[in-house]
Amino acid sequence: MAPPPITTLSLSLILILLCGSTSAQLRQNYYSNTCPDVENIVRKAVTAKFQQTFVTVPATIRLFFHDCFVSGCDASVIVASTPGNTAEKDHPDNLSLAGDGFDTVIKAKAAVDAVPGCRNKVSCADILALATRDVIKLSGGPSYPVELGRLDGLRSTSASVEGNLPKPTFNLNQLNSMFASRGLSQADMIALSACHTVGFSHCDKFSNRIYNFSPRNPVDPSLNKAYATQLQGMCPRNVDPRIAIDMDPTTPRKFDNAYFKNLIDGKGLFTSDQVLFTDSRSKNTVNLWASNVKAFNESFITAITKLGRVGVKTGRNGNIRFDCGRFN
């Protein structure tokens, strides 16, 4: 008797069984048998780093975002360049990633590996995902369960970064397009943009809005006039490019929904921030989350969980790095 034919559906099932699917691979209790206390170990290390400097918060969140948006959440952004390879972290778009974010992951990895049963069992990618949740909670944001089971990537190239991170000049169409290509909706994009509630920026990233926006309007008319004057005072022309200012002028050390209240007041620092309020397609979401922190928190948890699923490495596409900064 001839075997039944392999249909497209059965072939898909075979591939899933052989390779595993991203959603099946990630689960909250992934390390329950290998390193059951991993969340507490990471949280303790992250808290110690947070107590040293608040920069730990925006630096870690931004590191996670830049990692996931380029080649997926695989800790490839942490890998150092070698004489034969310029890694992601040395692309111009990543040079402003604060060292405290890298240090947070390295310290948490060391704490995990100091536990004999956990040594080389937990990926750098998962440690970064856990650390991101922990810094958000430490700065007043919502806590949430983190899906685990990512492997660390086997490649990291500067070339892979080009065109894969949103620019501060983006309009809504450009933002939506870039996020949609990673399975993220407009609501996810707006929620994740709120991470700018704890960030800081160098003056050159927004100087066009306060000095040479257009021939008719040197200052971007969507910018609050008093805020524009304040920005000009903090970022005079030809300012030292290393000078950085808070992105949230009201509660810069608190992860909250003030970001959306600021947009309503014309105090979004980047064009890509303010457009969320000036564009009618996203304005209602901004208004809702400015007045309803519970609705924002719920949407943010959905968005950052989906972000953590982007481009996850499984099987032979990854491994667990012994040192987050270099390949095994």
Side-chain angles (χ1 to χ4, degrees):
M1 184 177 172
I6 294 178
T7 63
T8 304
L9 179 61
S10 62
L11 184 60
S12 299
L13 289 170
I14 290 168
L15 288 171
I16 287 172
L17 289 170
L18 287 174
C19 308
S21 69
T22 297
S23 55
Q25 178 82 2
L26 294 182
R27 59 183 191 273
Q28 291 168 29
N29 62 346
Y30 185 83
Y31 295 104
S32 58
N33 294 324
T34 50
C35 186
D37 204 32
V38 63
E39 297 207 27
N40 287 327
I41 298 168
V42 171
R43 187 179 295 112
K44 190 175 178 184
V46 172
T47 302
K49 176 70 182 172
F50 170 77
Q51 288 167 344
Q52 290 174 357
T53 172
F54 183 82
V55 177
T56 303
V57 177
T60 303
I61 297 171
R62 193 157 174 253
L63 191 65
F64 182 59
F65 183 89
H66 281 231
D67 184 43
C68 293
F69 255 56
V70 177
S71 308
C73 309
D74 62 355
S76 53
V77 73
I78 302 174
V79 173
S81 295
T82 61
N85 177 61
T86 305
E88 286 178 31
K89 69 182 291 188
D90 287 318
H91 184 276
D93 288 352
N94 281 335
L95 293 177
S96 61
L97 289 170
D100 288 303
F102 295 91
D103 193 49
T104 299
V105 177
I106 289 162
K107 282 187 162 64
K109 168 76 166 166
V112 170
D113 283 350
V115 177
C118 298
R119 187 169 176 78
N120 299 330
K121 299 278 175 58
V122 182
S123 68
C124 302
D126 277 346
I127 288 171
L128 176 54
L130 287 169
T132 300
R133 184 268 312 274
D134 294 340
V135 297
I136 288 167
K137 179 71 169 67
L138 283 165
S139 54
S143 188
Y144 53 91
V146 177
E147 297 174 340
L148 301 167
R150 302 164 189 79
L151 290 180
D152 296 324
L154 305 177
R155 283 175 293 281
S156 177
T157 65
S158 174
S160 64
V161 179
E162 191 61 39
N164 280 311
L165 290 168
K167 296 190 182 300
T169 53
F170 270 13
N171 61 33
L172 194 71
N173 288 342
Q174 292 169 307
L175 288 167
N176 279 338
S177 175
M178 182 167 279
F179 278 72
S181 67
R182 289 154 179 82
L184 299 164
S185 67
Q186 177 174 287
D188 297 328
M189 178 272 291
I190 299 169
L192 291 169
S193 296
C195 290
H196 288 169
T197 185
V198 287
F200 55 88
S201 170
H202 294 90
C203 295
D204 62 340
K205 299 297 182 199
F206 58 87
S207 60
N208 66 305
R209 297 189 70 206
I210 56 175
Y211 291 119
N212 53 355
F213 184 69
S214 71
R216 179 176 288 182
N217 295 300
V219 177
D220 184 341
S222 70
L223 202 56
N224 178 294
K225 284 187 172 57
Y227 184 47
T229 302
Q230 185 185 348
L231 291 175
Q232 288 171 338
M234 292 187 286
C235 292
R237 289 180 189 273
N238 305 316
V239 68
D240 184 331
R242 292 169 297 182
I243 297 292
I245 68 155
D246 292 322
M247 297 194 71
D248 178 344
T250 53
T251 56
R253 291 185 166 230
K254 191 165 183 225
F255 192 101
D256 55 18
N257 67 333
Y259 172 79
F260 300 109
K261 297 174 186 177
N262 292 336
L263 297 185
I264 293 170
D265 291 339
K267 295 179 180 178
L269 189 60
F270 295 160
T271 299
S272 57
D273 292 314
Q274 197 58 49
V275 74
L276 303 181
F277 184 70
T278 56
D279 195 305
S280 60
R281 294 170 293 172
S282 47
K283 186 174 187 172
N284 288 345
T285 305
V286 171
N287 282 325
L288 171 65
W289 291 345
S291 61
N292 189 330
V293 70
K294 184 173 181 288
F296 162 60
N297 284 344
E298 288 172 356
S299 297
F300 178 77
I301 290 168
T302 297
I304 201 153
T305 300
K306 286 170 67 177
L307 175 63
R309 295 171 183 159
V310 173
V312 167
K313 306 298 184 292
T314 59
R316 286 180 295 183
N317 291 322
N319 59 21
I320 292 174
R321 243 176 262 149
F322 304 144
D323 175 344
C324 294
R326 60 189 178 90
F327 298 119
N328 292 353

